[in-house]
Short mmCIF file of all heavy atoms in Angstrom, two decimals:
data_model
loop_
_atom_site.label_atom_id
_atom_site.label_comp_id
_atom_site.label_asym_id
_atom_site.label_seq_id
_atom_site.Cartn_x
_atom_site.Cartn_y
_atom_site.Cartn_z
N MET A 1 82.63 68.48 302.87
CA MET A 1 82.25 69.44 301.87
C MET A 1 82.40 70.86 302.39
O MET A 1 82.74 71.76 301.63
CB MET A 1 80.82 69.18 301.42
CG MET A 1 80.41 70.04 300.29
SD MET A 1 78.91 69.38 299.58
CE MET A 1 78.36 70.77 298.71
N THR A 2 82.16 71.06 303.63
CA THR A 2 82.25 72.41 304.19
C THR A 2 83.68 72.91 304.24
O THR A 2 83.90 74.11 304.40
CB THR A 2 81.64 72.46 305.60
OG1 THR A 2 82.33 71.54 306.44
CG2 THR A 2 80.16 72.13 305.56
N ASP A 3 84.65 72.02 304.08
CA ASP A 3 86.06 72.42 304.11
C ASP A 3 86.56 72.92 302.76
O ASP A 3 87.66 73.43 302.66
CB ASP A 3 86.95 71.25 304.54
CG ASP A 3 86.67 70.80 305.96
OD1 ASP A 3 86.16 71.63 306.74
OD2 ASP A 3 86.97 69.64 306.27
N HIS A 4 85.76 72.77 301.71
CA HIS A 4 86.19 73.14 300.37
C HIS A 4 85.64 74.51 299.98
O HIS A 4 84.50 74.84 300.28
CB HIS A 4 85.74 72.10 299.36
CG HIS A 4 86.41 70.79 299.55
ND1 HIS A 4 86.00 69.88 300.49
CD2 HIS A 4 87.48 70.25 298.95
CE1 HIS A 4 86.79 68.83 300.46
NE2 HIS A 4 87.69 69.02 299.52
N THR A 5 86.47 75.24 299.26
CA THR A 5 86.06 76.57 298.80
C THR A 5 85.39 76.47 297.43
O THR A 5 85.52 75.46 296.73
CB THR A 5 87.28 77.49 298.67
OG1 THR A 5 88.13 76.99 297.62
CG2 THR A 5 88.06 77.59 299.97
N THR A 6 84.72 77.51 297.07
CA THR A 6 84.11 77.60 295.74
C THR A 6 85.20 77.52 294.68
O THR A 6 85.01 76.90 293.63
CB THR A 6 83.31 78.90 295.60
OG1 THR A 6 82.29 78.91 296.60
CG2 THR A 6 82.68 79.02 294.22
N GLU A 7 86.35 78.12 294.95
CA GLU A 7 87.45 78.09 293.99
C GLU A 7 87.94 76.66 293.76
O GLU A 7 88.25 76.28 292.62
CB GLU A 7 88.60 78.98 294.47
CG GLU A 7 88.29 80.46 294.43
CD GLU A 7 87.43 80.93 295.60
OE1 GLU A 7 87.35 80.24 296.64
OE2 GLU A 7 86.82 82.01 295.46
N GLN A 8 88.03 75.86 294.80
CA GLN A 8 88.44 74.46 294.64
C GLN A 8 87.42 73.68 293.83
O GLN A 8 87.77 72.87 292.97
CB GLN A 8 88.63 73.80 296.01
CG GLN A 8 89.83 74.29 296.76
CD GLN A 8 89.85 73.77 298.18
OE1 GLN A 8 88.84 73.78 298.88
NE2 GLN A 8 91.02 73.30 298.61
N PHE A 9 86.16 73.94 294.11
CA PHE A 9 85.09 73.28 293.36
C PHE A 9 85.15 73.68 291.89
O PHE A 9 85.08 72.83 290.99
CB PHE A 9 83.74 73.62 293.98
CG PHE A 9 82.60 72.90 293.33
CD1 PHE A 9 82.34 71.58 293.64
CD2 PHE A 9 81.80 73.55 292.42
CE1 PHE A 9 81.27 70.92 293.04
CE2 PHE A 9 80.73 72.89 291.82
CZ PHE A 9 80.48 71.57 292.13
N ASP A 10 85.28 74.98 291.62
CA ASP A 10 85.37 75.46 290.25
C ASP A 10 86.54 74.83 289.51
O ASP A 10 86.42 74.43 288.35
CB ASP A 10 85.50 76.99 290.21
CG ASP A 10 84.21 77.70 290.51
OD1 ASP A 10 83.13 77.06 290.49
OD2 ASP A 10 84.27 78.92 290.78
N LEU A 11 87.70 74.75 290.16
CA LEU A 11 88.87 74.15 289.53
C LEU A 11 88.60 72.71 289.13
O LEU A 11 88.93 72.29 288.02
CB LEU A 11 90.07 74.23 290.47
CG LEU A 11 91.35 73.56 289.95
CD1 LEU A 11 91.82 74.24 288.66
CD2 LEU A 11 92.43 73.60 291.01
N ALA A 12 87.97 71.96 290.00
CA ALA A 12 87.67 70.56 289.70
C ALA A 12 86.68 70.45 288.55
O ALA A 12 86.85 69.62 287.65
CB ALA A 12 87.12 69.86 290.94
N VAL A 13 85.66 71.27 288.54
CA VAL A 13 84.65 71.21 287.48
C VAL A 13 85.23 71.68 286.15
O VAL A 13 85.04 71.04 285.12
CB VAL A 13 83.41 72.04 287.86
CG1 VAL A 13 82.45 72.18 286.68
CG2 VAL A 13 82.69 71.39 289.03
N TYR A 14 85.98 72.78 286.16
CA TYR A 14 86.52 73.31 284.90
C TYR A 14 87.61 72.41 284.33
O TYR A 14 87.71 72.26 283.12
CB TYR A 14 87.05 74.74 285.08
CG TYR A 14 85.95 75.75 285.18
CD1 TYR A 14 85.75 76.48 286.34
CD2 TYR A 14 85.08 75.96 284.12
CE1 TYR A 14 84.73 77.40 286.45
CE2 TYR A 14 84.05 76.89 284.21
CZ TYR A 14 83.88 77.60 285.38
OH TYR A 14 82.86 78.51 285.48
N SER A 15 88.43 71.81 285.17
CA SER A 15 89.52 70.97 284.65
C SER A 15 89.05 69.54 284.37
O SER A 15 89.73 68.80 283.67
CB SER A 15 90.70 70.95 285.61
OG SER A 15 90.32 70.33 286.83
N GLY A 16 87.91 69.16 284.89
CA GLY A 16 87.41 67.81 284.67
C GLY A 16 86.23 67.78 283.73
O GLY A 16 86.34 67.37 282.57
N LEU A 17 85.11 68.23 284.20
CA LEU A 17 83.87 68.14 283.42
C LEU A 17 83.89 69.02 282.18
O LEU A 17 83.60 68.56 281.08
CB LEU A 17 82.68 68.50 284.31
CG LEU A 17 81.31 68.36 283.68
CD1 LEU A 17 81.06 66.93 283.22
CD2 LEU A 17 80.24 68.79 284.67
N TYR A 18 84.25 70.27 282.33
CA TYR A 18 84.27 71.17 281.17
C TYR A 18 85.34 70.75 280.17
O TYR A 18 85.14 70.84 278.96
CB TYR A 18 84.47 72.62 281.58
CG TYR A 18 83.23 73.31 282.09
CD1 TYR A 18 83.31 74.55 282.69
CD2 TYR A 18 81.97 72.73 281.98
CE1 TYR A 18 82.18 75.20 283.16
CE2 TYR A 18 80.84 73.37 282.44
CZ TYR A 18 80.95 74.62 283.02
OH TYR A 18 79.84 75.26 283.48
N ALA A 19 86.49 70.31 280.66
CA ALA A 19 87.55 69.87 279.75
C ALA A 19 87.06 68.70 278.90
O ALA A 19 87.30 68.66 277.69
CB ALA A 19 88.79 69.47 280.54
N CYS A 20 86.35 67.80 279.50
CA CYS A 20 85.78 66.65 278.78
C CYS A 20 84.78 67.13 277.73
O CYS A 20 84.82 66.70 276.58
CB CYS A 20 85.13 65.71 279.79
SG CYS A 20 84.42 64.23 279.07
N PHE A 21 83.91 68.03 278.12
CA PHE A 21 82.90 68.56 277.20
C PHE A 21 83.54 69.25 276.01
O PHE A 21 83.19 68.99 274.84
CB PHE A 21 81.97 69.54 277.94
CG PHE A 21 81.09 70.33 277.02
CD1 PHE A 21 80.00 69.75 276.41
CD2 PHE A 21 81.37 71.67 276.76
CE1 PHE A 21 79.18 70.48 275.55
CE2 PHE A 21 80.56 72.41 275.90
CZ PHE A 21 79.47 71.82 275.30
N TYR A 22 84.50 70.15 276.25
CA TYR A 22 85.12 70.90 275.16
C TYR A 22 85.94 70.00 274.24
O TYR A 22 86.00 70.22 273.03
CB TYR A 22 85.95 72.06 275.69
CG TYR A 22 85.10 73.17 276.23
CD1 TYR A 22 85.27 73.65 277.53
CD2 TYR A 22 84.09 73.74 275.47
CE1 TYR A 22 84.48 74.66 278.04
CE2 TYR A 22 83.28 74.76 275.97
CZ TYR A 22 83.49 75.22 277.26
OH TYR A 22 82.70 76.21 277.75
N TYR A 23 86.58 68.99 274.80
CA TYR A 23 87.31 68.03 273.97
C TYR A 23 86.35 67.31 273.03
O TYR A 23 86.60 67.20 271.83
CB TYR A 23 88.05 67.02 274.84
CG TYR A 23 88.53 65.84 274.06
CD1 TYR A 23 89.65 65.93 273.24
CD2 TYR A 23 87.84 64.64 274.08
CE1 TYR A 23 90.07 64.85 272.48
CE2 TYR A 23 88.26 63.56 273.32
CZ TYR A 23 89.37 63.68 272.53
OH TYR A 23 89.77 62.62 271.78
N MET A 24 85.27 66.81 273.58
CA MET A 24 84.30 66.07 272.74
C MET A 24 83.69 66.99 271.69
O MET A 24 83.48 66.58 270.55
CB MET A 24 83.22 65.44 273.61
CG MET A 24 83.72 64.28 274.43
SD MET A 24 82.43 63.35 275.29
CE MET A 24 81.69 64.61 276.31
N LYS A 25 83.41 68.22 272.06
CA LYS A 25 82.83 69.18 271.11
C LYS A 25 83.79 69.45 269.96
O LYS A 25 83.39 69.50 268.80
CB LYS A 25 82.48 70.47 271.84
CG LYS A 25 81.72 71.45 271.00
CD LYS A 25 81.25 72.63 271.82
CE LYS A 25 80.48 73.58 270.94
NZ LYS A 25 79.89 74.67 271.69
N ALA A 26 85.08 69.62 270.28
CA ALA A 26 86.08 69.89 269.24
C ALA A 26 86.30 68.66 268.36
O ALA A 26 86.54 68.78 267.15
CB ALA A 26 87.39 70.32 269.88
N ALA A 27 86.24 67.48 268.95
CA ALA A 27 86.51 66.25 268.20
C ALA A 27 85.32 65.79 267.37
O ALA A 27 85.50 65.01 266.42
CB ALA A 27 86.91 65.14 269.18
N TYR A 28 84.13 66.24 267.69
CA TYR A 28 82.92 65.72 267.05
C TYR A 28 82.95 65.76 265.52
O TYR A 28 82.62 64.75 264.88
CB TYR A 28 81.68 66.43 267.57
CG TYR A 28 80.42 65.92 266.91
CD1 TYR A 28 79.88 64.69 267.28
CD2 TYR A 28 79.79 66.62 265.90
CE1 TYR A 28 78.75 64.19 266.67
CE2 TYR A 28 78.67 66.13 265.28
CZ TYR A 28 78.15 64.92 265.67
OH TYR A 28 77.03 64.44 265.04
N PRO A 29 83.33 66.87 264.88
CA PRO A 29 83.32 66.86 263.40
C PRO A 29 84.20 65.77 262.80
O PRO A 29 83.83 65.14 261.82
CB PRO A 29 83.83 68.25 263.03
CG PRO A 29 83.59 69.09 264.23
CD PRO A 29 83.71 68.17 265.41
N TYR A 30 85.35 65.54 263.39
CA TYR A 30 86.27 64.51 262.89
C TYR A 30 85.73 63.11 263.17
O TYR A 30 85.84 62.21 262.34
CB TYR A 30 87.64 64.68 263.53
CG TYR A 30 88.18 66.08 263.35
CD1 TYR A 30 88.16 66.97 264.41
CD2 TYR A 30 88.68 66.51 262.12
CE1 TYR A 30 88.64 68.26 264.25
CE2 TYR A 30 89.15 67.79 261.96
CZ TYR A 30 89.13 68.68 263.04
OH TYR A 30 89.60 69.95 262.88
N LEU A 31 85.16 62.96 264.34
CA LEU A 31 84.60 61.65 264.70
C LEU A 31 83.39 61.32 263.83
O LEU A 31 83.19 60.18 263.43
CB LEU A 31 84.23 61.61 266.17
CG LEU A 31 85.41 61.74 267.14
CD1 LEU A 31 84.91 61.88 268.57
CD2 LEU A 31 86.33 60.54 267.01
N LYS A 32 82.59 62.33 263.53
CA LYS A 32 81.42 62.11 262.68
C LYS A 32 81.86 61.68 261.28
O LYS A 32 81.31 60.74 260.71
CB LYS A 32 80.58 63.39 262.60
CG LYS A 32 79.32 63.23 261.80
CD LYS A 32 78.50 64.50 261.81
CE LYS A 32 77.24 64.32 260.99
NZ LYS A 32 76.47 65.55 260.91
N LYS A 33 82.88 62.35 260.76
CA LYS A 33 83.37 62.04 259.42
C LYS A 33 83.96 60.63 259.35
O LYS A 33 83.77 59.93 258.36
CB LYS A 33 84.45 63.05 259.03
CG LYS A 33 84.92 62.93 257.59
CD LYS A 33 86.10 63.82 257.26
CE LYS A 33 85.81 65.27 257.57
NZ LYS A 33 86.91 66.16 257.19
N THR A 34 84.63 60.20 260.38
CA THR A 34 85.29 58.89 260.36
C THR A 34 84.50 57.81 261.08
O THR A 34 84.97 56.69 261.23
CB THR A 34 86.68 58.99 261.01
OG1 THR A 34 86.53 59.39 262.38
CG2 THR A 34 87.56 59.98 260.28
N ARG A 35 83.32 58.19 261.58
CA ARG A 35 82.47 57.28 262.35
C ARG A 35 83.19 56.78 263.60
O ARG A 35 83.02 55.66 264.04
CB ARG A 35 81.99 56.12 261.47
CG ARG A 35 81.17 56.61 260.28
CD ARG A 35 80.58 55.52 259.49
NE ARG A 35 79.55 54.87 260.33
CZ ARG A 35 78.94 53.77 260.01
NH1 ARG A 35 79.22 53.16 258.88
NH2 ARG A 35 78.04 53.24 260.80
N GLY A 36 83.98 57.67 264.18
CA GLY A 36 84.72 57.35 265.40
C GLY A 36 83.85 57.54 266.63
O GLY A 36 82.68 57.90 266.55
N SER A 37 84.44 57.32 267.77
CA SER A 37 83.70 57.48 269.02
C SER A 37 84.62 57.95 270.13
O SER A 37 85.84 57.92 270.00
CB SER A 37 83.04 56.16 269.42
OG SER A 37 84.02 55.16 269.59
N VAL A 38 84.01 58.40 271.21
CA VAL A 38 84.73 58.86 272.39
C VAL A 38 84.45 57.89 273.52
O VAL A 38 83.31 57.48 273.72
CB VAL A 38 84.28 60.28 272.82
CG1 VAL A 38 84.88 60.68 274.15
CG2 VAL A 38 84.62 61.29 271.76
N ILE A 39 85.48 57.54 274.23
CA ILE A 39 85.31 56.72 275.44
C ILE A 39 85.80 57.55 276.61
O ILE A 39 86.98 57.91 276.68
CB ILE A 39 86.12 55.41 275.34
CG1 ILE A 39 85.65 54.59 274.15
CG2 ILE A 39 86.00 54.63 276.65
CD1 ILE A 39 86.50 53.40 273.85
N ASN A 40 84.89 57.91 277.49
CA ASN A 40 85.25 58.67 278.68
C ASN A 40 85.58 57.72 279.82
O ASN A 40 84.89 56.74 280.02
CB ASN A 40 84.10 59.59 279.11
CG ASN A 40 83.88 60.71 278.14
OD1 ASN A 40 84.82 61.23 277.57
ND2 ASN A 40 82.63 61.09 277.93
N PHE A 41 86.62 58.05 280.54
CA PHE A 41 86.95 57.25 281.71
C PHE A 41 87.58 58.16 282.76
O PHE A 41 88.07 59.23 282.45
CB PHE A 41 87.88 56.09 281.36
CG PHE A 41 89.20 56.51 280.79
CD1 PHE A 41 90.30 56.67 281.61
CD2 PHE A 41 89.34 56.74 279.43
CE1 PHE A 41 91.52 57.07 281.09
CE2 PHE A 41 90.56 57.12 278.90
CZ PHE A 41 91.65 57.29 279.73
N ALA A 42 87.52 57.73 283.97
CA ALA A 42 88.09 58.49 285.08
C ALA A 42 88.48 57.51 286.17
O ALA A 42 88.29 56.31 286.03
CB ALA A 42 87.07 59.50 285.61
N SER A 43 88.98 58.03 287.24
CA SER A 43 89.40 57.16 288.33
C SER A 43 88.19 56.61 289.08
O SER A 43 87.05 57.03 288.87
CB SER A 43 90.28 57.93 289.31
OG SER A 43 89.51 58.84 290.06
N GLY A 44 88.44 55.70 289.97
CA GLY A 44 87.37 55.11 290.77
C GLY A 44 86.69 56.09 291.70
O GLY A 44 85.65 55.78 292.27
N ALA A 45 87.24 57.28 291.85
CA ALA A 45 86.61 58.28 292.73
C ALA A 45 85.20 58.62 292.28
O ALA A 45 84.35 58.96 293.09
CB ALA A 45 87.46 59.54 292.80
N GLY A 46 84.95 58.53 290.98
CA GLY A 46 83.61 58.80 290.48
C GLY A 46 82.61 57.73 290.85
O GLY A 46 81.42 57.98 290.96
N LEU A 47 83.09 56.51 291.02
CA LEU A 47 82.21 55.40 291.35
C LEU A 47 82.11 55.13 292.84
O LEU A 47 81.04 54.89 293.37
CB LEU A 47 82.70 54.12 290.65
CG LEU A 47 82.69 54.12 289.14
CD1 LEU A 47 83.35 52.86 288.60
CD2 LEU A 47 81.26 54.23 288.63
N PHE A 48 83.25 55.17 293.48
CA PHE A 48 83.30 54.74 294.87
C PHE A 48 83.53 55.87 295.86
O PHE A 48 83.48 55.66 297.07
CB PHE A 48 84.40 53.69 295.05
CG PHE A 48 84.26 52.57 294.08
CD1 PHE A 48 85.16 52.41 293.05
CD2 PHE A 48 83.19 51.68 294.16
CE1 PHE A 48 85.03 51.39 292.13
CE2 PHE A 48 83.05 50.65 293.26
CZ PHE A 48 83.97 50.51 292.24
N GLY A 49 83.83 57.04 295.36
CA GLY A 49 84.05 58.17 296.23
C GLY A 49 85.47 58.23 296.76
O GLY A 49 86.26 57.33 296.59
N ASN A 50 85.75 59.33 297.34
CA ASN A 50 87.05 59.59 297.95
C ASN A 50 86.74 60.51 299.11
O ASN A 50 86.55 61.70 298.92
CB ASN A 50 87.99 60.23 296.92
CG ASN A 50 89.41 60.30 297.39
OD1 ASN A 50 89.70 60.02 298.55
ND2 ASN A 50 90.30 60.66 296.49
N PHE A 51 86.66 59.97 300.29
CA PHE A 51 86.17 60.69 301.45
C PHE A 51 86.74 62.10 301.53
O PHE A 51 87.96 62.29 301.47
CB PHE A 51 86.48 59.92 302.74
CG PHE A 51 85.92 60.58 303.97
CD1 PHE A 51 84.57 60.50 304.24
CD2 PHE A 51 86.73 61.30 304.81
CE1 PHE A 51 84.03 61.11 305.35
CE2 PHE A 51 86.21 61.92 305.93
CZ PHE A 51 84.86 61.82 306.20
N GLY A 52 85.87 63.07 301.65
CA GLY A 52 86.28 64.45 301.80
C GLY A 52 86.66 65.15 300.51
O GLY A 52 87.13 66.28 300.54
N ARG A 53 86.46 64.51 299.38
CA ARG A 53 86.89 65.09 298.11
C ARG A 53 85.72 65.29 297.15
O ARG A 53 85.76 64.89 296.00
CB ARG A 53 87.95 64.20 297.46
CG ARG A 53 89.22 64.05 298.25
CD ARG A 53 90.04 65.29 298.30
NE ARG A 53 90.41 65.64 296.94
CZ ARG A 53 90.83 66.83 296.58
NH1 ARG A 53 90.95 67.79 297.46
NH2 ARG A 53 91.13 67.08 295.35
N VAL A 54 84.67 65.93 297.62
CA VAL A 54 83.50 66.16 296.78
C VAL A 54 83.87 66.90 295.49
O VAL A 54 83.43 66.51 294.41
CB VAL A 54 82.40 66.92 297.55
CG1 VAL A 54 81.28 67.35 296.63
CG2 VAL A 54 81.87 66.05 298.67
N PRO A 55 84.68 67.96 295.54
CA PRO A 55 85.01 68.65 294.29
C PRO A 55 85.69 67.74 293.27
O PRO A 55 85.52 67.91 292.07
CB PRO A 55 85.96 69.77 294.72
CG PRO A 55 85.59 70.04 296.14
CD PRO A 55 85.24 68.67 296.70
N MET A 56 86.46 66.78 293.72
CA MET A 56 87.12 65.87 292.80
C MET A 56 86.16 64.81 292.27
O MET A 56 86.22 64.42 291.11
CB MET A 56 88.29 65.17 293.49
CG MET A 56 89.07 64.23 292.62
SD MET A 56 90.37 63.49 293.57
CE MET A 56 90.26 61.81 293.04
N ARG A 57 85.25 64.37 293.08
CA ARG A 57 84.36 63.28 292.71
C ARG A 57 83.28 63.69 291.71
O ARG A 57 82.96 62.95 290.79
CB ARG A 57 83.71 62.72 293.97
CG ARG A 57 82.86 61.52 293.67
CD ARG A 57 82.32 60.91 294.94
NE ARG A 57 81.51 59.77 294.59
CZ ARG A 57 80.48 59.36 295.27
NH1 ARG A 57 80.13 59.98 296.36
NH2 ARG A 57 79.80 58.32 294.89
N LEU A 58 82.72 64.85 291.88
CA LEU A 58 81.58 65.27 291.05
C LEU A 58 81.89 65.26 289.56
O LEU A 58 81.15 64.65 288.78
CB LEU A 58 81.08 66.65 291.48
CG LEU A 58 79.95 67.20 290.65
CD1 LEU A 58 78.68 66.39 290.86
CD2 LEU A 58 79.71 68.65 290.98
N PRO A 59 82.96 65.91 289.08
CA PRO A 59 83.21 65.89 287.63
C PRO A 59 83.47 64.49 287.09
O PRO A 59 83.10 64.19 285.96
CB PRO A 59 84.45 66.77 287.46
CG PRO A 59 84.56 67.55 288.70
CD PRO A 59 83.91 66.76 289.78
N LYS A 60 84.09 63.63 287.88
CA LYS A 60 84.35 62.26 287.43
C LYS A 60 83.05 61.51 287.24
O LYS A 60 82.85 60.80 286.27
CB LYS A 60 85.27 61.55 288.41
CG LYS A 60 86.66 62.16 288.43
CD LYS A 60 87.53 61.50 289.45
CE LYS A 60 88.89 62.13 289.55
NZ LYS A 60 89.60 62.29 288.34
N LYS A 61 82.15 61.66 288.18
CA LYS A 61 80.86 60.98 288.09
C LYS A 61 80.05 61.56 286.93
O LYS A 61 79.44 60.83 286.16
CB LYS A 61 80.10 61.13 289.41
CG LYS A 61 78.80 60.41 289.45
CD LYS A 61 79.00 58.91 289.37
CE LYS A 61 77.69 58.18 289.56
NZ LYS A 61 77.84 56.77 289.37
N ALA A 62 80.09 62.86 286.78
CA ALA A 62 79.30 63.50 285.74
C ALA A 62 79.79 63.16 284.33
O ALA A 62 79.01 63.14 283.39
CB ALA A 62 79.32 65.01 285.93
N SER A 63 81.08 62.86 284.19
CA SER A 63 81.60 62.54 282.86
C SER A 63 81.41 61.09 282.48
O SER A 63 81.86 60.64 281.45
CB SER A 63 83.09 62.91 282.77
OG SER A 63 83.86 62.08 283.60
N GLY A 64 80.76 60.33 283.33
CA GLY A 64 80.41 58.96 282.98
C GLY A 64 81.34 57.93 283.55
O GLY A 64 81.35 56.79 283.11
N ALA A 65 82.10 58.30 284.56
CA ALA A 65 83.02 57.34 285.17
C ALA A 65 82.27 56.19 285.80
O ALA A 65 81.18 56.31 286.26
CB ALA A 65 83.89 58.02 286.21
#
């Protein structure tokens, strides 16, 4: 973790967790109207980790991987 910069962490969070949030927020009105649903998925890094890749793992775990 000490090898990663704040910028690397931000990139992982903004492209992973925030992207997931904004997609679901934009899709919600259509999904509500059609009674649809969202299924979030990510790689195994969210479940099992990827040594030395904390910035990559956090958004995957947070999005429900």
Side-chain angles (χ1 to χ4, degrees):
M1 186 166 162
T2 59
D3 295 337
H4 294 81
T5 66
T6 301
E7 290 79 19
Q8 289 171 315
F9 184 79
D10 285 346
L11 177 61
V13 171
Y14 286 115
S15 65
L17 184 59
Y18 280 170
C20 181
F21 168 75
Y22 288 125
Y23 166 77
M24 289 188 301
K25 187 172 181 175
Y28 180 76
Y30 306 104
L31 295 172
K32 183 177 179 184
K33 186 187 305 184
T34 61
R35 300 185 68 188
S37 60
V38 172
I39 300 171
N40 291 324
F41 61 94
S43 73
L47 296 174
F48 308 110
N50 190 351
F51 184 76
R53 298 290 300 162
V54 171
M56 181 181 137
R57 184 175 180 211
L58 178 68
K60 293 177 184 308
K61 184 65 174 175
S63 68

